[in-house]
Amino acid sequence: MLGLGNSISASQYTEGGFVDPTSLSGLQIWLKNDTGITTASSAAASDGDLVYGWADSSGNSNDATASSQRFEYIESEGGILSTPALGNSLLNLPQLTLPEFSIFMKVKFSSISSGSTDMFLLDKDTSSSFFRIQNATSIKAKVNTSTPTSWTVSTISLDTYYTINVVRESGVGGSIFIDGVQQDATKNVGGQDMVIDRIGSVFNGVIKNFVVYDRVLTANERKLVRLHVQAQ
């Protein structure tokens, strides 16, 4: 069932030396819940402040920044909010080129429209790589110039947190997991690299955690990261 597990303590998920996402190799970015979210003066954000930065907790200094169309910090959630009034909020990332990847995002949507909106991950320069909510029962992705691919998913309810995990393995394909459950089949997403450098954009909701690895995690590694992200 989707949407479960959000009240568990992250400290429960230590196994085989795993403490948090930094315990595993290949970590590129970790925008951690309620950590390093800052204002224009680089001060820690307070409730309702516009977000100018979100520091990377991976140790790689891949910090997220915004020069316009900013998210708003929500203290009670420890995350960042985008609404129509804020104007399609976004955060820019240092560009990552990923032949393979495991990406996790804890997110809730306050609205879902049909079509080419509700972006939560993309390449801002060309829009040739993206992941988006196509509608309440479909996630759509495009990897570079490949043909777009859609996955049928269990109905995504509004104002409910989900941990979405997208995986791409060379020679195998792309997979979508929501709260640990694989959605639809693993599908061909072409042979090109995924390029990402932005989260948000035409998106309404809250993002609480964002984690990127440049490799395919094992099933057990994926579970440990997902439970950690889900519990925050």
Side-chain angles (χ1 to χ4, degrees), residues 59-151:
N60 295 316
S61 299
N62 285 324
D63 302 330
T65 59
S67 57
S68 62
Q69 297 173 252
R70 299 173 188 91
F71 285 88
E72 182 178 300
Y73 175 60
I74 303 299
E75 185 174 12
S76 61
E77 311 266 353
I80 58 173
L81 167 72
S82 179
T83 67
L86 290 169
N88 300 326
S89 305
L90 53 87
L91 279 172
N92 294 323
L93 307 167
Q95 191 174 85
L96 295 178
T97 301
L98 303 169
E100 296 188 318
F101 54 81
S102 300
I103 299 172
F104 300 79
M105 180 181 282
K106 184 173 181 181
V107 60
K108 71 176 177 180
F109 301 91
S110 57
S111 67
I112 296 175
S113 56
S114 297
S116 57
T117 57
D118 302 313
M119 299 276 193
F120 58 90
L121 183 63
L122 70 152
D123 174 9
K124 70 178 186 298
D125 300 309
T126 65
S127 297
S128 61
S129 291
F130 63 78
F131 279 89
R132 70 176 182 234
I133 302 299
Q134 186 72 3
N135 54 57
T137 57
S138 179
I139 290 179
K140 191 170 188 176
K142 188 172 184 289
V143 177
N144 215 310
T145 59
S146 65
T147 301
T149 304
S150 293
W151 290 261

Side-chain angles (χ1 to χ4, degrees), residues 12-19 220 223-224:
Q12 291 177 250
Y13 297 103
T14 57
E15 179 180 319
F18 180 88
V19 177
N220 190 57
K223 181 189 78 170
L224 290 169

Side-chain angles (χ1 to χ4, degrees), residues 22 27-30 55-63:
T22 64
L27 180 62
Q28 298 299 303
I29 296 176
W30 180 17
D56 175 25
S57 293
S58 74
N60 295 316
S61 299
N62 285 324
D63 302 330

Side-chain angles (χ1 to χ4, degrees), residues 181-199:
V181 179
Q182 183 167 358
Q183 309 293 304
D184 209 335
T186 297
K187 297 192 175 185
N188 180 18
V189 291
Q192 301 180 55
D193 295 344
M194 182 78 177
V195 178
I196 58 170
D197 55 16
R198 175 172 288 173
I199 56 175

